[in-house]
Amino acid sequence: MAPTQYSQPERFRIALGPLLYYWPHATVLSFYAGIADSPVDRVYLGETVCTRRHEMRFAHWIEIAQMLREAGKQVVLSTPVLVESDTDIAVMRKICTQGDFLVEANDLGAVRCMERRPFIGGPHLNVYHADTLAWLAELGAVGCTVPVEMDGPTMLALSAARPAGVAVEAMVWGRMPLAFSARCFTARHFRLRKDACEFRCEGYPDGLVASTGEGQAFFTLNGIQTQSATCLDLCAEVSAMADGGIDYMRVSPHASGTGEAIAHLDEIRRAQRPASPSPVMPADATPSNGYWSGRPGIGWVAEEAGT
């Protein structure tokens, strides 16, 4: 009998990364109410980009966390990525010192703040080597999300060399977070100061796409964060990832397409369809998967995607 091309049921779990955009309070509540009924296993919550955003306070995230936990989800609270002010430090400490939910540490200050209690290393810790992952495990890491620009062979080699008890997670769908800056790019676009930004990023629920002089969509501006203009789509590679020991496949929240991408991954893991590219992208985004094969991340490599 020929081997099946389908992945086996429950060979991996689905994670929903933290919301990277600035959405109105009611929109956030509605979004996560839908996630409660979705096949997602793990949900990351919290403001990781800009602590000036005020629609969602810490108490609001805790309320959502409790709701999702009651719905059977594992909830992880994410710390800010770029910690540069007293406010950022206060937010980080509040997340790290609460004892009800696991923490995603997105910078080394948060790792230190955890004081060897269990945490998940976020993708911005830039773990490229097994020795780094082993060091984090000694400090309390029980999981780690690999950087988005890591190629497939390196990712699977890292997975094979990980310490016992450490889960590995990889982002497989969504605009890729590439860099952070002390400057707010969205405010600068509107000729505003960072501390008087008028919260313009709230008008762009999937970020503000910036194009080259030739008109090619190149980056997405999201406050102090720079993202890809394309949408990462590694859904065709999740069987290879699962075979290599990747435990969680991460989807990044977007204003459109998120639920469909989650459902697509769920059908793959339950053997209802072969591993294949996602049928949906966020609005105005084209797919990319170049990093997986060690090529420019902006590109779409059809043979690597099984098409």
Side-chain angles (χ1 to χ4, degrees):
M1 179 181 296
T4 179
Q5 61 177 329
Y6 296 93
S7 57
Q8 297 301 312
E10 304 302 325
R11 288 185 60 202
F12 60 84
R13 296 185 178 184
I14 302 172
L16 182 70
L19 175 62
L20 303 179
Y21 306 106
Y22 191 27
W23 293 355
H25 183 92
T27 301
V28 176
L29 295 182
S30 176
F31 176 80
Y32 285 108
I35 293 301
D37 294 326
S38 77
V40 164
D41 302 288
R42 171 185 284 176
V43 183
Y44 294 83
L45 297 175
E47 179 56 59
T48 63
V49 177
C50 178
T51 55
R52 292 194 72 249
R53 296 172 176 177
H54 61 278
E55 288 281 337
M56 298 296 297
R57 303 293 189 180
F58 180 77
H60 299 143
W61 289 119
I62 293 298
E63 290 175 1
I64 294 174
Q66 292 169 341
M67 179 271 294
L68 290 171
R69 183 165 60 184
E70 291 173 0
K73 312 302 182 187
Q74 181 190 32
V75 177
V76 183
L77 299 184
S78 298
T79 68
V81 174
L82 186 61
V83 179
E84 57 177 350
S85 69
D86 291 342
T87 299
D88 297 338
I89 294 172
V91 170
M92 179 191 71
R93 286 178 173 166
K94 185 175 289 187
I95 293 170
C96 291
T97 56
Q98 59 77 38
D100 291 333
F101 300 97
L102 194 60
V103 171
E104 179 188 51
N106 279 308
D107 88 320
L108 290 179
V111 172
R112 181 178 181 181
C113 192
M114 289 303 299
E115 298 180 336
R116 297 184 182 270
R117 287 174 285 115
F119 68 90
I120 296 174
H124 305 290
L125 292 185
N126 296 325
V127 177
Y128 296 98
H129 195 276
D131 287 347
T132 305
L133 187 54
W135 175 67
L136 288 174
E138 292 175 0
L139 297 177
V142 295
C144 178
T145 300
V146 301
V148 294
E149 70 271 21
M150 184 174 286
D151 63 75
T154 302
M155 183 189 304
L156 300 184
L158 179 65
S159 173
R162 75 179 111 170
V166 177
V168 177
E169 184 172 320
M171 180 176 171
V172 298
W173 190 90
R175 283 195 167 102
M176 294 175 279
L178 301 176
F180 288 80
S181 171
R183 291 185 175 183
C184 176
F185 299 110
T186 305
R188 186 175 178 85
H189 174 77
F190 290 102
R191 302 181 184 277
L192 298 169
R193 300 192 314 276
K194 179 182 178 181
D195 57 358
C197 65
E198 300 177 2
F199 303 102
R200 291 294 183 95
C201 55
E202 191 172 11
Y204 299 91
D206 275 341
L208 175 61
V209 176
S211 300
T212 65
E214 291 75 29
Q216 178 189 13
F218 193 58
F219 287 127
T220 298
L221 307 181
N222 178 40
I224 66 171
Q225 182 186 58
T226 303
Q227 301 176 326
S228 63
T230 59
C231 174
L232 176 67
D233 180 8
L234 293 181
C235 293
E237 315 302 340
V238 295
S239 288
M241 290 182 181
D243 288 342
I246 305 302
D247 303 283
Y248 288 87
M249 309 301 169
R250 176 180 290 207
V251 172
S252 188
H254 286 270
S256 63
T258 306
E260 292 87 343
I262 291 170
H264 182 72
L265 286 170
D266 185 50
E267 290 178 353
I268 292 171
R269 70 172 174 178
R270 290 190 291 111
Q272 294 185 347
R273 68 167 67 239
S276 56
S278 173
V280 294
M281 295 289 113
D284 302 323
T286 57
S288 63
N289 63 357
Y291 284 137
W292 175 260
S293 56
R295 307 183 195 184
I298 196 172
W300 176 257
V301 185
E303 61 266 26
E304 296 292 335
T307 59

